[in-house]
Amino acid sequence: NFIAHLAPKDPTPIALKPIAKLQEAAISAISFVGKPYFWGGTNPDDGFDCSGLVQYVLMQSGLRKLPRTSRDMYDASSPVEVEHMVVGDLVFFDTNNTKQVNHVGIYVGEGRFIHAPSTGKVIRLDKLAQNYWQKNFIGAGRVLKLD
């Protein structure tokens, strides 16, 4: 009984848990900060647009392949309340004032996310608390179950 008390209830190494895969994707995305935005881009050689960046880092981290567009990614993810977001969750925005998702980023913790903003700009970190992102925020989504 004493040994059973000391043994972890879940013997799965942390590196194999879903949360670790989400964190790996976020860290991978951070490695692209400063790289130029490229409309339609899906790889590091050509560059990335917002959904291309998300799709690429999630696949490289061994997570499921998501649809190509931010709107379809939103539909394919499970909604998450902002206060329950974890590193690697996706954040979705309407930057065209159309009431539809057209931009996606990856939450990296401490109220920040990484994304490929638009033509002429570079992949960067921004704060969700910035007025622009707050007013255009649609919601957050998770691409896999954590339990």
Side-chain angles (χ1 to χ4, degrees), residues 5-142:
H5 176 71
L6 292 178
K9 293 191 186 322
D10 182 0
T12 307
I14 188 69
L16 298 178
K17 292 185 181 223
I19 188 79
K21 293 296 185 186
L22 288 175
Q23 291 169 344
E24 182 182 328
I27 290 167
S28 175
I30 290 170
S31 73
F32 296 112
V33 167
K35 301 281 186 192
Y37 174 95
F38 181 71
W39 189 81
T42 59
N43 66 70
D45 296 329
D46 298 332
F48 296 105
D49 63 12
C50 66
S51 56
L53 173 66
V54 169
Q55 187 181 54
Y56 180 85
V57 299
L58 291 178
M59 285 191 332
Q60 293 300 308
S61 299
L63 296 167
R64 69 186 176 110
K65 183 176 180 178
L66 286 180
R68 177 64 182 95
T69 69
S70 56
R71 186 174 306 141
D72 289 341
M73 286 179 181
Y74 178 74
D75 291 339
S77 64
S78 300
V80 177
E81 295 297 324
V82 173
E83 60 271 11
H84 295 116
M85 287 192 314
V86 298
V87 171
D89 281 340
L90 304 183
V91 288
F92 298 97
F93 304 91
D94 166 15
T95 61
N96 288 340
N97 205 21
T98 60
K99 306 276 190 258
Q100 294 184 2
V101 170
N102 70 328
H103 190 67
V104 62
I106 300 174
Y107 184 68
V108 295
E110 299 181 1
R112 301 181 78 178
F113 69 103
I114 185 165
H115 64 122
S118 60
T119 302
K121 297 188 178 163
V122 297
I123 296 171
R124 68 183 191 214
L125 286 164
D126 274 324
K127 293 181 179 178
L128 288 167
Q130 289 174 310
N131 188 44
Y132 178 80
W133 297 114
Q134 274 189 349
K135 76 176 178 111
N136 293 306
F137 184 73
I138 297 282
R142 187 164 295 151

